[in-house]
Every structure is written in structure tokens, then in C-alpha cells.
Amino acid sequence: QGVRISVEITYREDLSEAERPSHFFNYTIHIKNLNNFPVQLKERSWKIFDAGMGVHFVNGQGVVGEQPILDANESYIYTSGCELFSDIGFMEGHYKFKAISPLASETYFRVNIPRFELLVPCLKN
């Protein structure tokens, strides 16, 4: 759909308590509009899996309180967080975008966000 999404994950040892257990991760999302027209990020939908708690879903308007408009070839970066109550989890989901074009009626499209693992660092090989 002309939008590239990449993710960087950081384990937050300073916010995590292994004894509880509570493990906090930050994820930084990089969104780049590769289209020759502006797009607006309207909605997010996340599936979050925690090996100890199962699956839950998070849906809502925009991201981190914003519905950013990205001009052609422009990027948007934001950081958010996720707490797990086990050592293993993942997130995946999608964003809903609106194409902004004076020549066309409003067009909405979905961009999938591939699964990314949330693993406590001592589990990585």
C-alpha cells in the first residue's frame, strides 16, 4: 500500500521486576509514506500475546494521542510500551490509513504490522 513500517524493541530492565514477574518493553515504530500523495494514520489495532496471560487486543484512534499526516516520502516515528507478565510474548497488528488526494474521494487502506517478538533478554540465543 506504499507505506513501510519497521519496529525496534527495547527491554526496559529499569521498569521490569523478574520476581513479580513483570517485564516492560518499549517499541519504536518507524512509518514511511512511499506514496506520491499524503496519508493520515487514523486507527491502530494490536494483538498482544503474553505466554502467561494469553491474548488481548488494543484498538483505538491514531497512535500516542495523534493521527499524523505524512506527506509523500515523509516519515513518522513514535515510541510506546507494553508490559508482559511472562518471559515470552509478541505483538502484531495493523494501521488504518486515509489517502489524502484532491483528485479522489476519501480512500482508506490497511497496512499490516508483522509479528515482532517480546522476549526477556536472557532467553535470546
Side-chain angles (χ1 to χ4, degrees), residues 68-83:
I69 296 174
L70 288 78
D71 287 327
N73 218 28
E74 187 176 23
S75 294
Y76 177 81
I77 299 170
Y78 76 93
T79 299
S80 191
C82 177
E83 182 180 25

Side-chain angles (χ1 to χ4, degrees), residues 5-12 25-31 46 77-82 91 113-114 116-118 124:
I5 297 171
S6 60
V7 183
E8 295 174 33
I9 299 111
T10 304
Y11 178 70
R12 295 292 306 271
F25 298 84
N26 280 133
Y27 54 91
T28 299
I29 306 284
H30 300 256
I31 303 168
W46 289 110
I77 299 170
Y78 76 93
T79 299
S80 191
C82 177
M91 290 178 65
I113 305 162
F116 54 93
E117 306 296 325
L118 302 171
K124 295 180 182 178

